Amino acid sequence: STGVVKLQPKAEELKFVTKNDGYVHIHPSSVNYQTRHFESPYLVYHEKIKTSRVFIRDCSMVSVYPLVLLGGGQVHTQLQKGEFVIYLDDGWIRFVAASHQVAELVKELRCELDQLLQDKIKNPSMDLCICPRGSRIISMIVKLVTTQ
């Protein structure tokens, strides 16, 4: 039989998009430079530099739920074309949820986590693993992130 096998892009061809810079590339000195496939299309990075083009270094792949739960900005949900969408801040990053219930639960979990972290900042001696509310929120996040 004959056919075509799709090849992964070369390291120098792989590019990502940022809100402010458009396309960016992984810097050749980065550990992830030779990685040609990421399970998630989202990366977080520590450093961005511009030489012949814009590069990122010190990057790690991040999956959807950690990005929604720990990323900056507010989480919103909206019905668009029959799909429930979770979006961050101004809508630049969007995810389609399996159902309206999932979208609302994720949004509520993020609100609970934000409040828990604010409580911890106000009371640094609070042990989140012993506190009933804190331990429930943390165990739910661990379960969500490890089973996605």
Side-chain angles (χ1 to χ4, degrees):
S1 71
T2 62
V4 177
V5 177
K6 184 178 179 183
L7 296 175
Q8 296 294 334
K10 295 178 182 174
E12 62 272 5
E13 296 172 342
L14 192 62
K15 56 188 171 186
F16 295 87
V17 180
T18 66
K19 184 176 180 179
N20 297 325
D21 298 298
Y23 288 112
V24 298
H25 302 267
I26 298 175
H27 195 274
S29 68
S30 176
V31 172
N32 284 326
Y33 181 69
Q34 292 300 325
T35 304
R36 296 176 3 173
H37 174 72
F38 294 92
E39 293 296 317
S40 171
Y42 303 101
L43 297 180
V44 292
Y45 61 89
H46 174 68
E47 184 178 28
K48 181 172 53 173
I49 59 171
K50 184 174 183 179
T51 56
S52 59
R53 50 188 170 171
V54 179
F55 291 99
I56 56 174
R57 285 199 285 219
D58 304 327
C59 59
S60 295
M61 184 203 73
V62 63
S63 54
V64 172
Y65 287 125
L67 185 59
V68 171
L69 294 172
L70 301 169
Q74 295 294 312
V75 175
H76 304 279
T77 59
Q78 188 175 52
L79 178 62
Q80 291 181 343
K81 299 179 184 176
E83 295 181 314
F84 293 97
V85 178
I86 301 169
Y87 64 95
L88 302 178
D89 269 343
D90 60 0
W92 193 76
I93 298 176
R94 298 170 180 258
F95 311 100
V96 175
S99 67
H100 181 259
Q101 183 180 17
V102 169
E104 289 300 322
L105 287 172
V106 169
K107 180 180 173 183
E108 185 63 29
L109 184 58
R110 168 63 186 268
C111 290
E112 289 292 327
L113 177 60
D114 287 348
Q115 184 60 54
L116 183 65
L117 292 174
Q118 287 178 5
D119 293 347
K120 176 67 174 171
I121 290 169
K122 290 177 187 172
N123 182 7
S125 63
M126 180 174 69
D127 187 337
L128 297 179
C129 295
I130 294 174
C131 161
R133 181 172 160 262
S135 64
R136 282 194 312 269
I137 292 168
I138 291 169
S139 65
M140 186 170 296
I141 289 170
V142 168
K143 185 175 183 178
L144 179 66
V145 169
T146 58
T147 59
Q148 72 176 13

